[in-house]
Amino acid sequence: MRSHVTQYAKYKSLGTAFLTCRTRNPRSLLSGAVENQLKICGFKSNGDVIGLYLARQGLRSIPSLSQFNRLKYLWLNNNKIQDLNFLIKNYCLTELYLNNNELTDISGALKHLCSLQILFLHNNELKNLGKTVKELKGMISLHTLNLFQNPLAYDPDYRLYVIYILPSVQLLDRKLVTQRERESAFHLYNPERSLLVQSIAFGKRVKTPLGTPVGSRRCIHPPRRLIMPSGCEFGDNTNKVPFENPEDAVLVRAMTRSLTEFSSVDWNKVATCQERRLQNKAEEPLEKLTVQFR
């Protein structure tokens, strides 16, 4: 994998408006240092800057970067940053490098970055897997994510959980996400839905009774007990929604679905019209095999 410096050089070679700031004072970062860089690079305003390189500066905190309203690429790796409140106005970010810092929690700091495609958070102190992944759930364009070398990565089902919650991620911790991993994650964290899909797809019948938990591995989210609210029957109240989650209604319908019957006949043992006329005898009943299931 290419280093951050190599990626930075690639973007800069394309004529991208980048600022490289060499300062350990966060206040001067947004005042004199930035003004000097704007003059050197020939930028007319902060709005022209779409890339900011602040890696390896020993920074513990950074003032708001809201004046860089077109900022797309931001390098903050190899610092000592502990919070991310300064990113609250940078909605255009597509690449964010926060690896090798001292982050312990990112709740409420990144969920607004819906355009983010690459996010490096490895080698920090993130402990809560659920809260961390929930913060990234709205990033539908996120395809590259690094979370390794965090305490949360030692959870036994860490990788499958991230794949299940963040289906857009294609490269997780420098490893491609495979189709088998996606199927295993779906099977592990949504067993009811997985069993339902297996039972109806292409007429395939599952031997396991519907509703029986599948797999021996533990599941973070236990199956919920579905209770239909009184007065919300399907046929009598067309304007009411009986369940908050539409998938629950599908599951209830699947559990009470109507009987299906398949019949098959060995046509090699059935006499043709000509044979019946020549034999001139009563037709024997057909041997028919019938299978019924819900």
Side-chain angles (χ1 to χ4, degrees):
M1 178 175 286
R2 292 173 299 177
S3 66
H4 300 131
V5 177
T6 304
Q7 291 174 319
Y8 164 73
K10 179 195 71 172
Y11 291 125
K12 193 169 185 180
S13 66
L14 296 176
T16 309
F18 270 80
L19 287 185
T20 306
C21 298
R22 298 291 180 183
T23 176
R24 296 180 182 275
N25 188 333
R27 293 300 173 185
S28 61
L29 168 67
L30 297 177
S31 55
V34 170
E35 291 179 6
N36 291 336
Q37 288 294 327
L38 288 173
K39 293 178 181 178
I40 294 172
C41 300
F43 304 150
K44 295 182 180 180
S45 67
N46 292 338
D48 295 330
V49 178
I50 66 172
L52 196 57
Y53 191 84
L54 300 172
R56 305 177 187 278
Q57 300 298 307
L59 300 172
R60 292 186 177 275
S61 63
I62 297 178
S64 173
L65 299 176
S66 58
Q67 65 266 47
F68 302 106
N69 54 3
R70 293 181 56 208
L71 192 63
K72 291 186 177 182
Y73 316 104
L74 179 58
W75 280 265
L76 291 168
N77 52 287
N78 297 86
N79 284 294
K80 299 179 181 180
I81 299 172
Q82 298 179 353
D83 68 80
L84 302 174
N85 295 330
F86 55 90
L87 294 174
I88 194 169
K89 297 292 184 179
N90 300 104
Y91 301 101
C92 297
L93 278 173
T94 60
E95 298 185 18
L96 180 57
Y97 303 91
L98 292 166
N99 50 295
N100 299 291
N101 277 287
E102 298 178 1
L103 296 170
T104 58
D105 188 11
I106 61 171
S107 299
L110 300 179
K111 63 175 61 177
H112 62 289
L113 304 179
C114 299
S115 300
L116 209 59
Q117 299 175 12
I118 298 176
L119 177 59
F120 284 8
L121 284 167
H122 56 279
N123 199 16
N124 277 281
E125 297 298 328
L126 300 173
K127 297 180 176 64
N128 193 312
L129 176 60
K131 289 175 64 176
T132 301
V133 176
K134 183 180 179 181
E135 183 69 17
L136 312 179
K137 193 173 182 179
M139 300 178 183
I140 58 176
S141 300
L142 186 64
H143 59 73
T144 302
L145 175 64
N146 280 356
L147 288 171
F148 62 93
Q149 292 182 347
N150 279 285
L152 58 79
Y154 295 102
D155 187 284
D157 298 321
Y158 148 75
R159 184 172 175 87
L160 290 182
Y161 183 69
V162 175
I163 291 172
Y164 176 72
I165 300 296
L166 305 176
S168 65
V169 173
Q170 301 173 19
L171 189 65
L172 176 60
D173 294 344
R174 301 176 179 174
K175 289 178 60 179
L176 285 173
V177 177
T178 65
Q179 182 61 30
R180 176 169 292 185
E181 285 180 317
R182 295 191 188 280
E183 294 173 355
S184 298
F186 185 72
H187 186 72
L188 177 62
Y189 291 104
N190 199 340
E192 294 177 347
R193 187 69 177 171
S194 175
L195 189 60
L196 174 60
V197 170
Q198 292 179 50
S199 67
I200 63 177
F202 307 107
K204 181 179 179 181
R205 185 182 183 188
V206 195
K207 295 181 180 180
T208 308
L210 194 63
T212 302
V214 181
S216 58
R217 302 184 69 184
R218 69 178 181 86
C219 180
I220 287 181
H221 305 291
R224 290 170 295 153
R225 184 180 179 184
L226 304 178
I227 302 177
M228 185 185 300
S230 60
C232 291
E233 293 75 13
F234 285 107
D236 302 328
N237 297 273
T238 56
N239 295 326
K240 295 182 180 180
V241 180
F243 297 99
E244 293 183 1
N245 186 354
E247 291 188 358
D248 292 344
V250 175
L251 184 59
V252 169
R253 179 65 185 90
M255 291 179 175
T256 57
R257 56 182 181 261
S258 58
L259 193 67
T260 302
E261 180 178 291
F262 284 96
S263 298
S264 61
V265 175
D266 187 356
W267 291 101
N268 294 324
K269 298 181 180 180
V270 178
T272 64
C273 295
Q274 185 177 3
E275 290 174 343
R276 288 198 296 270
R277 285 197 301 269
L278 294 175
Q279 292 174 2
N280 192 22
K281 62 179 181 179
E283 184 177 354
E284 297 179 358
L286 300 177
E287 295 182 3
K288 181 170 63 174
L289 176 63
T290 302
V291 178
Q292 296 180 343
F293 62 90
R294 293 190 182 280

